Amino acid sequence: MREFTYVRAAEVGQAVATVSADPEACYLAGGTTQLDLMKDGVLEPGRLVDITRLPLRGVRLDGDTLRVGALTTMEELAADPYVSARAPFVREALLLGASVQLRNMATIGGNLLQRTRCRYFRDPTVPDCNKRRRGTGCAAVTGAARMHAILGASEHCIASHASDLAVPLVALDAIVRVRGSAGERTIPLTDFYLLPEATPDVEHMLGQGELITAVDVPLPPEGTRSGYLKVRDRMSYEFALTSAAVTLLLDGGLIREARVALGGVGTVPWRAREAEEILRGAPAGPAAFREAAERAVRDPFTMPGTAFKVELAKRTLTRALRTVAGVAS
């Protein structure tokens, strides 16, 4: 691990000014991913600015929106009564996303910014990784790939996004609140993540020194059903092969409103808007669910190791819709 300078920030403005002025500086919160990458030599910051004591923690309800402080832990958000009552699929994603020990350390802001689990990105001895160094190639395209993306992927990068939490938050149109040297701004989470295209090393819209301060989570209308289904190789402490976050507002046997997002298959948390269009106004049943699944996984970019994910993703979404709607298979 490279030697670095450690600074503990006393207030938000100080933290932002310090990191904004130093291209080799970055923030440190829970550190559950960041420190591993530093030990592996993938990340080599010259300065760490500890933000854990900043007043950016807590959850409060403002109308029908939850304001979640960026330093709120995963466990704290999972325990929030409004999340349990109005958006249980957010709680499900949090509980399935990490062990209880990690949930008590990892922050919401850090979870949204966690780096991919691509084995080639995380191994600095592999030279071909556009996400680590642009223009070097993508070893996953020609190597063994199983945990990789099929949506939003290209020959430049097939690394999948790792966050479980981001999947239901994308479905809910969450808003990220950011503070930087130029002031504050808000970014819809659906716009926050950037497709790799020719610049896989640029993963999100944050500039140097910009700090996530909170996430606004609009709660679905009363009566909305939701669910998060995660398919993985083992039941404990494993990342998703595929996942689906679904909300349905039913009116008799018809679907009045639907929201759908996929995880484990996208280079970013994948909002399936075409699937939502199919579901709105349709009878809640297998035919609509399967058609929605077909629309959700259109034009996949597959390799021999990831081709199985096309059908698995469709079945995952179909099952999630059936479960949430209470429709027998």
Side-chain angles (χ1 to χ4, degrees):
M1 182 189 294
R2 176 191 178 187
E3 291 187 1
F4 58 86
T5 302
Y6 172 84
V7 178
R8 174 171 283 165
E11 56 95 27
V12 174
Q14 175 202 1
V16 170
T18 301
V19 178
S20 297
D22 184 355
E24 292 197 338
C26 65
Y27 298 112
L28 174 67
T32 54
T33 295
Q34 183 177 10
L35 293 180
D36 286 343
L37 293 175
M38 289 173 61
K39 291 175 183 177
D40 290 340
V42 177
L43 298 181
E44 296 184 318
R47 183 190 305 267
L48 285 183
V49 178
D50 186 337
I51 60 172
T52 54
R53 298 193 180 182
L54 299 183
L56 300 175
R57 194 165 179 167
V59 183
R60 65 179 176 87
L61 183 66
D62 184 4
D64 282 326
T65 298
L66 281 183
R67 174 72 53 84
V68 182
L71 294 179
T72 304
T73 66
M74 294 173 65
E75 188 69 10
E76 289 168 338
L77 184 58
D80 184 82
Y82 293 109
V83 170
S84 298
R86 297 282 299 278
F89 73 152
V90 172
R91 173 179 167 81
E92 292 165 7
L94 287 161
L95 297 181
L96 291 171
S99 66
V100 65
Q101 294 92 340
L102 287 175
R103 294 198 305 267
N104 276 296
M105 293 178 61
T107 64
I108 299 306
N111 183 283
L112 296 183
L113 289 174
Q114 68 178 289
R115 307 301 295 274
T116 181
R117 261 56 187 183
C118 173
R119 58 186 288 189
Y120 305 101
F121 168 74
R122 299 174 75 88
D123 183 354
T125 66
V126 176
D128 302 337
C129 179
N130 286 322
K131 192 171 284 293
R132 263 191 283 111
R133 190 157 63 92
R134 190 187 308 176
T136 57
C138 177
V141 169
T142 55
R146 175 175 172 81
M147 302 299 294
H148 291 74
I150 60 173
L151 299 175
S154 72
E155 68 276 7
H156 298 295
C157 182
I158 61 171
S160 61
H161 194 273
S163 174
D164 286 285
L165 174 62
V167 183
L169 293 191
V170 162
L172 290 174
D173 289 320
I175 302 291
V176 179
R177 291 185 170 269
V178 173
R179 181 168 171 183
S181 57
E184 297 181 344
R185 63 177 178 138
T186 59
I187 309 170
L189 194 59
T190 49
D191 297 334
F192 182 79
Y193 299 107
L194 302 176
L195 294 174
E197 298 179 334
T199 56
D201 54 318
V202 182
E203 298 181 347
H204 49 68
M205 293 186 65
L206 293 183
Q208 177 65 28
E210 286 195 304
L211 175 66
I212 296 177
T213 57
V215 181
D216 289 347
V217 184
L219 296 174
E222 295 281 359
T224 299
R225 304 179 184 185
S226 72
Y228 182 71
L229 177 61
K230 180 176 182 179
V231 177
R232 46 191 170 170
D233 283 325
R234 59 181 182 177
M235 289 302 294
S236 177
Y237 198 71
E238 185 63 278
F239 295 94
L241 288 171
T242 62
S243 68
V246 171
T247 72
L248 294 176
L249 184 59
L250 302 178
D251 185 0
L254 296 179
I255 301 170
R256 195 165 77 192
E257 180 58 52
R259 291 173 179 265
V260 176
L262 302 177
V265 293
T267 55
V268 299
W270 198 262
R271 181 71 176 272
R273 296 190 186 276
E274 289 189 47
E276 295 172 353
E277 292 174 4
I278 292 296
L279 293 169
R280 292 189 187 105
F289 297 161
R290 184 63 189 185
E291 185 178 358
E294 293 289 338
R295 293 294 185 94
V297 194
R298 292 184 66 181
D299 301 322
F301 182 90
T302 62
M303 311 308 299
T306 61
F308 77 98
K309 283 193 170 188
V310 176
E311 182 60 26
L312 183 60
K314 293 175 183 178
R315 295 189 183 195
T316 301
L317 178 52
T318 300
R319 179 179 162 193
L321 287 166
R322 283 176 167 169
T323 300
V324 172
V327 173
S329 58

